[in-house]
Amino acid sequence: MTSIQVRQFPAIILCGGRSSRMGSPKALVELAGRRLIDLVFEKISAHSTSVMINSNDPAIGVQDAVTFGDRIGGFKGPLAGIHAGLRQAMEGKPDGTHALLVPVDCPFLPTDIAERLSGGISAPSTVVVAGSRGCIHPVIGLWPLSLAGRIEEWLTTGKSLKMTDFLGTCEVVGIFFDDIETKTGPIDPFFNINTPDDLAFARQAFEAMN
């Protein structure tokens, strides 16, 4: 029997946000007895060629993982983190055209996220983003390494910091995921934790899944 080769990608966990609504770094809050960054790292590490962490806080990191800050100053949001991640991945000379981008505040990410998204790559320039409940999530996706230069030009020439505005200039494919069923009801696989109330909900959801 011939085994199926699953495509793997370098992965970047985005932790560069200010966590202003949480009141403390989201990456370091605990869920099910683990830091969020550890939960997300384990979710994607088994299905990635390497996992790197974009963080502007030296306290955030995972042992043996490369951690790096934004390369464009002025706190320009997720696009700056994606730019830094793509540049970092390119320096690792990956055997491929894309890198997997995920945020640190999505603890329910499907473990097969990269495999599912890779089915949407129709060309080296295609951006493949995850979607759920009728919405796309631009920070969860396979982004072409070749976009690093365009993002840098976009950010340094004073254009919009909205990711959807930048993606409007790209070829984008959305791959939609179903809810996760739990004992207390369905949950969005890309539910993200921004506030203490979100964290409390996530803790209840974790209990309902086990």
Side-chain angles (χ1 to χ4, degrees), residues 37-48:
I37 192 170
D38 295 320
L39 286 171
V40 174
F41 182 88
E42 290 187 4
K43 283 260 186 179
I44 62 175
S45 60
H47 304 278
S48 304

Side-chain angles (χ1 to χ4, degrees), residues 46-118:
H47 304 278
S48 304
T49 57
S50 63
V51 181
M52 297 161 281
I53 297 168
N54 166 240
S55 172
N56 298 306
D57 182 344
I60 295 173
V62 173
Q63 187 175 2
D64 299 327
V66 173
T67 302
F68 55 92
D70 293 350
R71 300 191 182 197
I72 299 173
F75 193 74
K76 297 186 181 294
L79 272 176
I82 291 174
H83 165 264
L86 297 180
R87 288 292 190 202
Q88 191 74 32
M90 290 168 68
E91 291 171 3
K93 297 180 172 56
D95 183 20
T97 58
H98 289 67
L100 174 66
L101 277 296
V102 299
V104 74
D105 58 6
C106 285
F108 302 105
L109 285 170
T111 55
D112 63 347
I113 183 75
E115 180 183 355
R116 292 275 305 277
L117 292 175
S118 68

Side-chain angles (χ1 to χ4, degrees), residues 47 74 81 101 103 105 115 122 130 138 147 163 171 179 189 193 201-202:
H47 304 278
L101 277 296
D105 58 6
E115 180 183 355
S122 58
L147 282 182
M163 294 185 64
E171 176 192 355
D179 281 355
I193 297 172
F201 175 83

